[in-house]
Amino acid sequence: MPTDDSYKYVEDSAQSLSLSDVNVNDEENNRLVPVYRFLHDRVQQAAYSMIEENSKSQIHLKIGRELLKATPENELDEHVFTIVDQLNMSSELMTDEAERERLANLNLIAGKKAKLSAAYNPAFDYLKSGINVLKADCWQSQYNLTLSIFEEAAEAAYLCGDYEEMERIAETVLQHAKTVLDTIKVYEVKIQAHASQHKLLDAVKTGLNVLNLLGVNFPEKPNKFNVLTAYMQTKIALFGKTTDDLLTLPEMTAPYKCAILRILASTGPSTYLVSPKLMPLLIFKGLNISLKYGNNIDSIFFYNTYGLVLCGVLGDIDTGIKFGELALRLSEKLNATLLESTTQGTFNVFIKHWKKHIRETLQSVEKSFQRGLETGDFYYAGVCGYCYIFHSYSSGINLIKLEQTIVKYNDILKK
């Protein structure tokens, strides 16, 4: 079936065009090329089944090349799946190294896009296809592209629950990375994977090892004196500053400080259970880095958890609430949608109930559970799922209905 009326204007409707002649943007010859679609998917399947097996790869290659040629660069993201699906089915026919590198880049784009849509298995498939078309000496000749694909592939493997493959990919990066900054992404994935498997001690050990590589050290066995000293240093750094002042801090640009903040934020939640005296030290360290070097998206976590400490440990509820609200405001300012589960969850689970009735947290905590599942923040999705049940129970929710929710949440988290 024709997709528009252009077929009416072709001089000889009986003339057949070979695939190599077709260009839907054929302005040079000033002619309209008719575009058709199959009446039904089954018709397309029937036609496809009639093509000889040894010809299919050639046809996929031609289609992929034509689609790529006809797609403007600014529309590539919109059509990348269609293009890459064709080219991946014919990649073994590509001999030009530049074309294979372009395909690796396209698979990287497709993998990132699929991951953002929570299509984790397709994302992993695209990234593995990207790895397969890299050069044999890719870590020498295509370093930046190779590092990006392997980083994304490690995260996709983790999001698919394939921890063994994640470890293999991560170790490849650690063996070939040129600098410690180039390892931060895969270390973050390893920390998240340990936490998701409830290997919290491994998560903390990994985080502390990376921080050591970045020049940050903490006491092996923190005590109250360590915590009090760090708290007083933080109080001094905050002296005279309002939460409005903190919201308008400049953007953090120092690469090593950004990396330190990333690892501190990744490690922090696990310390809550396995090393509670270490957690405030991480929080105070992260907060002080933000105060000195500016804000980035990880600063949100430290403002939020500082509010947690103020409310739950030190009893300074009013100031704690202000810091929790600062975290929400900064999240909105930076459009940190991927951290929504952690940000909203921390505020509504640990801070809000000091001022508001616990029933007023339920809707936000439930939403944070869903957002964690959607964005791949499985650890905090679990935290929010548990706390939604706990808050519901504490609020006097009907136990029969609550039991049904428990069963549903357990099934989701096991999956």
Side-chain angles (χ1 to χ4, degrees):
M1 292 180 64
T3 60
D4 54 34
D5 291 338
S6 61
Y7 74 96
K8 295 179 181 178
Y9 305 104
V10 178
E11 290 181 358
D12 182 4
S13 60
Q15 178 185 10
S16 63
L17 295 171
S18 69
L19 189 60
S20 59
D21 294 329
V22 175
N23 186 341
V24 294
N25 295 326
D26 197 354
E27 296 177 0
E28 183 180 341
N29 296 317
N30 195 27
R31 64 187 175 93
L32 291 167
V33 177
V35 179
Y36 299 88
R37 66 176 178 83
F38 285 97
L39 178 65
H40 192 279
D41 287 347
R42 297 296 291 273
V43 179
Q44 183 180 17
Q45 292 167 13
Y48 188 75
S49 68
M50 296 170 67
I51 302 172
E52 294 182 9
E53 285 298 323
N54 57 5
S55 301
K56 286 181 179 178
S57 292
Q58 278 286 354
I59 292 174
H60 285 302
L61 184 60
K62 284 186 177 182
I63 293 172
R65 284 171 172 169
E66 288 298 329
L67 288 170
L68 184 57
K69 185 169 67 174
T71 304
E73 198 68 29
N74 62 344
E75 296 178 12
L76 195 57
D77 187 71
E78 181 182 350
H79 302 288
V80 67
F81 294 138
T82 305
I83 297 168
V84 170
D85 287 344
Q86 295 294 330
L87 294 175
N88 280 344
M89 287 189 280
S90 54
S91 61
E92 74 279 0
L93 299 179
M94 292 183 181
T95 56
D96 182 73
E97 291 294 350
E99 185 177 33
R100 292 176 69 85
E101 183 168 322
R102 182 73 193 279
L103 179 56
N105 267 300
L106 290 171
N107 273 293
L108 177 59
I109 295 170
K112 286 181 175 180
K113 186 174 182 180
K115 187 184 70 175
L116 285 174
S117 301
Y120 302 128
N121 284 297
F124 193 27
D125 289 338
Y126 285 124
L127 294 162
K128 286 188 290 186
S129 295
I131 290 173
N132 289 337
V133 293
L134 292 169
K135 294 180 182 179
D137 66 340
C138 58
W139 285 104
Q140 288 75 43
S141 61
Q142 299 168 300
Y143 180 79
N144 290 334
L145 172 61
T146 303
L147 178 64
S148 295
I149 293 180
F150 271 79
E151 285 177 337
E152 294 292 333
E155 184 175 30
Y158 150 64
L159 292 169
C160 292
D162 192 343
Y163 298 112
E164 185 176 334
E165 188 67 6
M166 181 278 295
E167 288 287 354
R168 188 189 67 79
I169 296 170
E171 285 305 313
T172 302
V173 175
L174 297 179
Q175 289 171 15
H176 292 91
K178 293 180 179 179
T179 69
V180 64
L181 289 179
D182 291 343
T183 67
I184 297 302
K185 176 69 175 180
V186 295
Y187 272 127
E188 180 192 358
V189 171
K190 285 170 71 72
I191 292 167
Q192 291 172 335
H194 287 318
S196 290
Q197 298 173 87
H198 207 67
K199 298 177 180 178
L200 302 183
L201 196 58
D202 289 339
V204 173
K205 286 180 178 178
T206 301
L208 293 179
N209 287 338
V210 185
L211 289 169
N212 184 259
L213 294 175
L214 293 166
V216 177
N217 298 289
F218 292 98
E220 286 188 17
K221 296 180 179 180
N223 54 41
K224 290 182 179 179
F225 176 76
N226 300 136
V227 175
L228 181 60
T229 302
Y231 172 65
M232 294 308 299
Q233 291 171 343
T234 303
K235 287 284 286 184
I236 293 170
L238 284 168
F239 182 76
K241 297 181 177 69
T242 67
T243 52
D244 288 337
D245 295 331
L246 301 182
L247 184 66
T248 57
L249 287 173
E251 180 184 355
M252 186 184 298
T253 56
Y256 270 84
K257 302 306 176 184
C258 290
I260 291 168
L261 221 60
R262 182 88 291 264
I263 297 300
L264 286 169
S266 299
T267 309
S270 295
T271 64
Y272 181 77
L273 291 176
V274 298
S275 185
K277 288 181 182 175
L278 176 61
M279 185 176 186
L281 297 183
L282 300 186
I283 294 169
F284 299 147
K285 183 67 176 180
L287 185 54
N288 277 282
I289 289 173
S290 292
L291 294 174
K292 188 173 182 179
Y293 296 95
N295 288 329
N296 71 4
I297 59 170
D298 293 309
S299 303
I300 298 166
F301 174 80
F302 297 101
Y303 292 138
N304 229 347
T305 50
Y306 185 63
L308 179 161
V309 171
L310 290 174
C311 288
V313 180
L314 300 173
D316 188 355
I317 293 171
D318 288 336
T319 309
I321 291 286
K322 287 181 181 179
F323 271 89
E325 291 172 342
L326 169 62
L328 300 182
R329 290 161 65 197
L330 184 59
S331 176
E332 185 175 351
K333 179 181 177 180
L334 299 180
N335 193 29
T337 54
L338 293 179
L339 298 180
E340 189 175 339
S341 179
T342 302
T343 304
Q344 292 283 347
T346 299
F347 179 75
N348 285 283
V349 167
F350 297 107
I351 298 174
K352 186 176 181 178
H353 66 82
W354 292 100
K355 274 281 188 180
K356 303 289 185 180
H357 195 286
I358 198 169
R359 278 195 294 269
E360 294 187 35
T361 69
L362 294 179
Q363 186 175 358
S364 295
V365 176
E366 184 177 32
K367 182 181 178 183
S368 298
F369 171 70
Q370 296 295 338
R371 286 297 290 152
L373 297 176
E374 292 166 6
T375 59
D377 189 354
F378 298 146
Y379 179 82
Y380 230 84
V383 171
C384 292
Y386 161 73
C387 289
Y388 176 76
I389 300 302
F390 181 66
H391 284 202
S392 297
Y393 177 81
S394 302
S395 301
I397 299 294
N398 180 281
L399 293 181
I400 295 175
K401 292 182 179 179
L402 186 58
E403 184 184 25
Q404 295 169 354
T405 305
I406 291 172
V407 171
K408 182 177 74 172
Y409 277 24
N410 276 344
D411 289 344
I412 291 171
L413 290 172
K414 285 176 183 176
K415 182 179 179 181

